[in-house]
Amino acid sequence: MFNSLEELKEFCRTQEIQLIDFKVVDLAGRWHHLTIPMERFTDKTMETGIGFDGSSYGFLSVEKSDMVFKPDISTAFVDPFTETPTLTMIGDIYTLGNERERFEGDPRYIAEKTERYMKETGIADYSLLGPEFEFYILDHISFKTTPHHVEVLMDAHQAEWNTDKKDVQNLGYKVLHHKGYHADLPYDSSFQLRNKMVLALEKNGVPVKYHHSENGGPGQVEIEVSFGPLREMADRTMMLKYIVKNTAIANGKTITFMPKPFYGEAGSGMHVHMQLFKNGEPIFYDEKGYSGLSDTALYAIGGILKHSPALMAFTNPSTNSYKRLVPGYEAPVSICYATANRSSVIRIPGYATQPEEKRFEFRPSDATCNPYLAYSALLMAAFDGIKNKIDPEKEGFGPYDVNVYALSKEEKEKIKGLPKSLEEAADALERDHQFLLEGGVFSKGMIYDQLRRIRSDAAQMSIVPHPLEYKMYFDL
C-alpha cells in the first residue's frame, strides 16, 4: 500500500488513523498482533523493529528466542473490524545480534527464499498459485474435553437435521445431505454474507474469481481467489481467513476451515492450482504433450507426486486432515495424476486449454496449513522434479484417466497411497526433506520445529478417549 514511511504518515493524517497494528505469523499459520499509537510509529520502528518471544510462536530450535519483527509497509491496510481507525500491516521476523538479520525460519522469509531460488536456478521467473478455499459457515459451535466429559455440538440452520425444528421459526428450505453444490436461493442461506466477505476481500487487495455454495449440506461454501505469486498469495491467504472469520462473527455466524468438522459430510480442502512463467511466457504448455502439458510441467508433477508423502506434513498438518483424506467425498488418497479427475492427487483441469491457462492442481491440501510453508514446499517439490527430470509416467504415477475408486483391487494396489495419519506424514518428512533444503530455502531447524509441533499434536490426540469407543467397547 505504501512505498515510504512519509506516504504512510500522510495517509494516517488525512484518514485520521489513530492506531498502528502489526500482524506476525507463527509456525502453525496463525496471526498474532501487537498495536501501538500512531504517534509511536517512527523511523526507529522501521529500523530496529519491535521485540517479542519467538518460542511463543513455535520457533523452538533457535538458541535464543528473543526476536524482533519489522513492519512491511507495502502490506498495510485499514482494518475494517476495529472501532478505532487502525492501520494494519504484516511484520517480518529478525534475529537479534550485532546486526539484525532475517530469521531463517520465518515462514514469510521462506516464501521469499523459494521465489529467489526459482529465479537463481533459471527454472522460471515467477509462479502463479490459485487456491480454492472451502469452509463451513455455522450458527453454533461448542466443545468440551475434560476427563469426565467429551463432546462437540455444531449447528447450521440450513442443515437437514433442522427440517422438524419447532422451537424457532422454521420456513423449510433445508439443504439435504450432500446436496449443497451450487444450491440457489432460498437454500443458499449464506449468500448475502458471502457477498459481504467477497466485497471486503476485493476492497483489501484480495481479488476473487467467484464464490458459491458447496457440497456439504450444513453450510459448506467455497471462495476461489484470482491467481498470484507465492509470497503475495500466502499474504492473501492470511488476509482471506482474517476477513472471512471476522465478517462472519460480525454477522452472528462463525466459520471453520477444519478439513473434516462433520462426520459423514463433505470435507473442506484447499486445492492449489500452479503455473510457472519464464520471459513472460507460460512454460507448462505444449500442444503435443499429454493434456497439453509440457515436459517441464510433467516433471514438476513428477516431483510433487514423488515427494507428496513428505509434503503432507506442511500441506495437511493437522490430525483432522486425515479424517478428510479417505476414499469418497472427492478427497484424493492415491498418488497419481490425470485430466479432469478429482480422485487423483494431481488433476489437470480439462477446461484450461489455452497456453496462458495451462496448469495443474494439487488436491489434498487443506487450510489448516501455514500457507507460506505449504506453498513453498509444493514449489520446491516441483523444482526438484524439473531439475531431476522426474517423469511421472515412468515413476508409475499414471496418467489414470479413470475413477481410481472404481479400479479393481489388483489395479488399486499398483498405486501408492498418501499417509493415513499425521504421524505417517511426519515420518515421511523425516525421511525425505533434502529437496526442501536446496538453496537454503528451508532449514533443518525449521523442519525440526514443524516435526516437533505436528508430532506433539498427534500424541495429544492419541491419548484422548473417543466417544465412539464407548459404543464399541463399553460393555466388553
Side-chain angles (χ1 to χ4, degrees):
M1 187 173 182
F2 302 108
N3 295 314
S4 68
L5 184 58
E6 289 70 26
E7 283 184 21
L8 184 151
K9 288 184 174 180
E10 178 60 26
F11 177 86
C12 290
R13 280 191 291 269
T14 58
Q15 300 299 314
E16 299 182 344
I17 299 294
Q18 298 180 41
L19 297 169
I20 304 292
D21 187 67
F22 308 102
K23 298 193 185 298
V24 182
V25 69
D26 67 10
L27 183 63
R30 293 183 177 92
W31 260 346
H32 298 242
H33 82 134
L34 179 148
T35 312
I36 64 174
M38 196 277 291
E39 292 77 13
R40 304 292 179 271
F41 190 46
T42 64
D43 291 328
K44 186 177 180 182
T45 311
M46 299 286 291
E47 293 168 6
T48 62
I50 297 175
F52 71 100
D53 176 14
S55 66
S56 297
Y57 283 55
F59 306 123
L60 302 176
S61 62
V62 290
E63 183 178 346
K64 296 180 179 179
S65 63
D66 284 348
M67 298 177 175
V68 299
F69 65 81
K70 294 184 181 182
D72 179 353
I73 61 175
S74 69
T75 65
F77 64 98
V78 178
D79 196 312
F81 304 107
T82 57
E83 294 181 3
T84 305
T86 302
L87 189 70
T88 298
M89 63 199 73
I90 298 173
D92 293 320
I93 303 174
Y94 287 73
T95 57
L96 296 176
N98 294 331
E99 292 187 10
R100 298 187 176 183
E101 299 178 347
R102 291 294 296 273
F103 171 48
E104 65 178 9
D106 176 3
R108 200 162 184 260
Y109 187 39
I110 288 172
E112 290 180 30
K113 289 187 286 183
T114 302
E115 292 181 311
R116 186 173 65 204
Y117 176 74
M118 172 181 64
K119 295 175 183 177
E120 289 174 349
T121 58
I123 290 172
D125 298 327
Y126 66 96
S127 64
L128 288 181
L129 303 179
E132 304 172 9
F133 299 95
E134 296 173 339
F135 54 95
Y136 277 88
I137 298 177
L138 305 175
D139 292 288
H140 175 83
I141 172 69
S142 58
F143 50 87
K144 185 175 185 178
T145 305
T146 62
H148 73 295
H149 189 165
V150 178
E151 74 162 297
V152 59
L153 177 64
M154 296 177 289
D155 195 19
H157 293 334
Q158 73 177 55
E160 68 173 341
W161 57 72
N162 286 320
T163 53
D164 62 346
K165 200 163 188 176
K166 301 178 181 65
D167 56 342
V168 295
Q169 186 181 38
N170 190 341
L171 302 177
Y173 295 103
K174 307 304 182 185
V175 180
L176 300 182
H177 179 65
H178 279 199
K179 298 295 183 182
Y181 187 68
H182 287 191
D184 197 3
L185 298 171
Y187 292 99
D188 187 8
S189 64
S190 66
F191 175 64
Q192 305 298 348
L193 175 58
R194 296 199 313 275
N195 287 339
K196 292 180 181 180
M197 293 173 177
V198 166
L199 292 177
L201 288 167
E202 288 278 344
K203 185 177 180 180
N204 288 282
V206 183
V208 174
K209 288 177 67 176
Y210 49 69
H211 69 90
H212 58 83
S213 176
E214 254 297 346
N215 194 23
Q220 190 183 37
V221 301
E222 177 179 313
I223 295 177
E224 184 169 345
V225 298
S226 300
F227 288 26
L230 167 57
R231 192 192 69 172
E232 184 177 340
M233 182 52 69
D235 286 346
R236 291 181 190 177
T237 299
M238 297 301 297
M239 176 73 84
L240 180 139
K241 295 180 79 172
Y242 182 73
I243 287 177
V244 163
K245 291 176 181 178
N246 283 285
T247 302
I249 289 172
N251 287 270
K253 304 279 187 176
T254 190
I255 71 140
T256 181
F257 286 94
M258 282 181 68
K260 196 69 173 180
F262 290 100
Y263 164 68
E265 269 293 356
S268 295
M270 188 188 73
H271 313 143
V272 181
H273 296 256
M274 304 173 65
Q275 293 179 287
L276 293 179
F277 295 81
K278 190 172 184 179
N279 299 321
E281 297 294 326
I283 63 174
F284 278 179
Y285 178 77
D286 183 344
E287 183 181 7
K288 298 179 181 179
Y290 167 74
S291 197
L293 291 175
S294 66
D295 286 344
T296 300
L298 290 170
Y299 294 149
I301 289 172
I304 291 174
L305 291 175
K306 178 180 179 179
H307 297 297
S308 57
L311 288 173
M312 304 293 282
F314 290 106
T315 61
N316 302 75
S318 73
T319 57
N320 189 251
S321 298
Y322 300 87
K323 292 178 171 61
R324 164 181 167 254
L325 294 175
V326 294
Y329 306 108
E330 291 192 357
V333 293
S334 301
I335 304 176
C336 61
Y337 72 105
T339 302
N341 190 337
R342 297 175 189 275
S343 62
S344 57
V345 163
I346 287 186
R347 165 181 170 264
I348 298 100
Y351 52 78
T353 57
Q354 298 304 307
E356 66 278 4
E357 298 175 332
K358 186 50 63 177
R359 61 187 185 269
F360 57 81
E361 169 194 25
F362 182 78
R363 291 184 59 78
S365 46
D366 64 60
T368 61
C369 70
N370 181 316
Y372 301 98
L373 302 180
Y375 300 158
S376 296
L378 282 169
L379 281 178
M380 290 300 290
F383 299 156
D384 186 66
I386 294 169
K387 283 174 56 183
N388 294 294
K389 296 186 177 181
I390 300 173
D391 187 326
E393 186 171 2
K394 291 181 180 178
E395 293 284 335
F397 297 137
Y400 285 91
D401 292 314
V402 295
N403 184 346
V404 175
Y405 304 134
L407 291 175
S408 67
K409 181 180 179 181
E410 293 74 18
E411 289 297 315
K412 284 181 182 178
E413 288 176 350
K414 296 177 183 178
I415 306 174
K416 296 178 181 178
L418 291 175
K420 295 181 175 62
S421 67
L422 189 56
E423 298 99 316
E424 288 187 15
D427 291 342
L429 178 61
E430 198 152 24
R431 290 191 304 267
D432 176 27
H433 58 256
Q434 182 59 42
F435 71 99
L436 297 171
L437 302 177
E438 296 297 320
V441 174
F442 284 72
S443 68
K444 289 186 177 180
M446 188 270 137
I447 291 172
Y448 166 82
D449 282 344
Q450 181 73 353
L451 286 170
R452 181 184 181 281
R453 184 181 75 81
I454 62 177
R455 287 194 188 282
S456 175
D457 284 358
Q460 185 176 357
M461 176 62 76
S462 70
I463 63 174
V464 177
H466 190 286
L468 183 59
E469 292 177 297
Y470 295 90
K471 179 178 180 181
M472 298 168 67
Y473 308 126
F474 182 80
D475 64 328
L476 289 178

